[in-house]
Amino acid sequence: MQHGSAYFIEEVSTVEETHTLSVLVDNEPGVLARVIGLFSGRGYNIDSLTVSETSHEEHISRITIVTTATPQVIQQIRSQLGRLVPIHEVADLSIDQIAPLERELAMIKVSGTGEKRVEALRLADAFRATVIDATAEHFVFEMTGRQQKIEQFVSIMQPLGLVEVCRTGVIALRRGPEKT
């Protein structure tokens, strides 16, 4: 005979996952502060954050948040965000069966001359980065793509004279005809 609890005990995962959350909110002062306050007040980390008005007529903005946590914490974040008053919808784009469309914009400044300069240009072409500023001593490349692509390009530019990087943060939409 087995002895044990009559209550279902859910297995708790300690493996962290990265999730992209799309949050539709009223476009009004203080909303972003409330969302960020939820994260900081509970010690949740934000890997990337973008905000933009998506419907001027309806005064709606989209906040796209990339965060890394255990599945239980992600569920807590989604639930707590859903309870904030100015929020219309919280969508976890990472749980869809089809990966969402995600893009980020980055500007990457690289300084160098001679062979390093030639190599930086060759690699930029391979990564489809565009030169948006140049002098005899440096380039500024513009690049759009998935986070991993930008991170790979930045790491390759490191030994070639990487000076600085500026990134916008991830924007994302669900694939297909449904509204996010």
Side-chain angles (χ1 to χ4, degrees):
M1 177 173 223
Q2 286 185 327
H3 297 286
S5 173
Y7 297 102
F8 173 73
I9 299 175
E10 184 178 354
E11 193 173 314
V12 177
S13 174
T14 59
V15 177
E16 290 193 340
E17 304 171 346
T18 299
H19 284 250
T20 303
L21 305 175
S22 177
V23 185
L24 294 178
V25 301
D26 286 339
N27 185 12
E28 59 186 43
V31 174
L32 180 60
R34 291 176 72 186
V35 170
I36 300 310
L38 183 145
F39 276 78
S40 66
R42 290 165 178 79
Y44 303 149
N45 189 44
I46 296 175
D47 299 330
S48 173
L49 174 73
T50 58
V51 182
S52 180
E53 185 175 63
T54 59
S55 174
H56 185 68
E57 298 80 28
E58 298 176 35
H59 303 288
I60 301 291
S61 289
R62 178 186 312 273
I63 301 174
T64 305
I65 304 166
V66 178
T67 188
T68 303
T70 64
Q72 293 78 18
V73 170
I74 296 292
Q75 183 56 43
Q76 283 180 338
I77 291 170
R78 289 175 51 207
S79 295
Q80 291 166 356
L81 281 172
R83 287 194 290 267
L84 289 178
V85 173
I87 292 182
H88 296 276
E89 180 183 355
V90 177
D92 186 345
L93 302 181
S94 304
I95 61 173
D96 290 345
Q97 290 184 356
I98 302 172
L101 296 169
E102 294 183 351
R103 293 294 182 267
E104 185 174 7
L105 170 67
M107 292 190 296
I108 302 104
K109 186 184 292 183
V110 179
S111 178
T113 58
E115 285 300 314
K116 286 187 175 184
R117 183 176 175 86
V118 172
E119 183 67 5
L121 276 173
R122 186 186 69 74
L123 288 167
D125 186 52
F127 276 82
R128 296 187 184 150
T130 306
V131 176
I132 59 171
D133 186 47
T135 68
E137 296 86 33
H138 85 281
F139 290 109
V140 176
F141 298 109
E142 176 184 82
M143 176 179 209
T144 59
R146 296 184 61 86
Q147 276 186 306
Q148 298 88 337
K149 177 184 173 185
I150 291 171
E151 288 165 6
Q152 184 180 15
F153 183 72
V154 168
S155 69
I156 288 172
M157 289 295 129
Q158 193 78 40
L160 298 176
L162 180 71
V163 176
E164 64 182 319
V165 178
C166 183
R167 297 170 74 162
T168 60
V170 174
I171 57 170
L173 285 176
R174 272 195 177 114
R175 294 179 188 265
E178 303 86 35
K179 189 174 183 178
T180 303

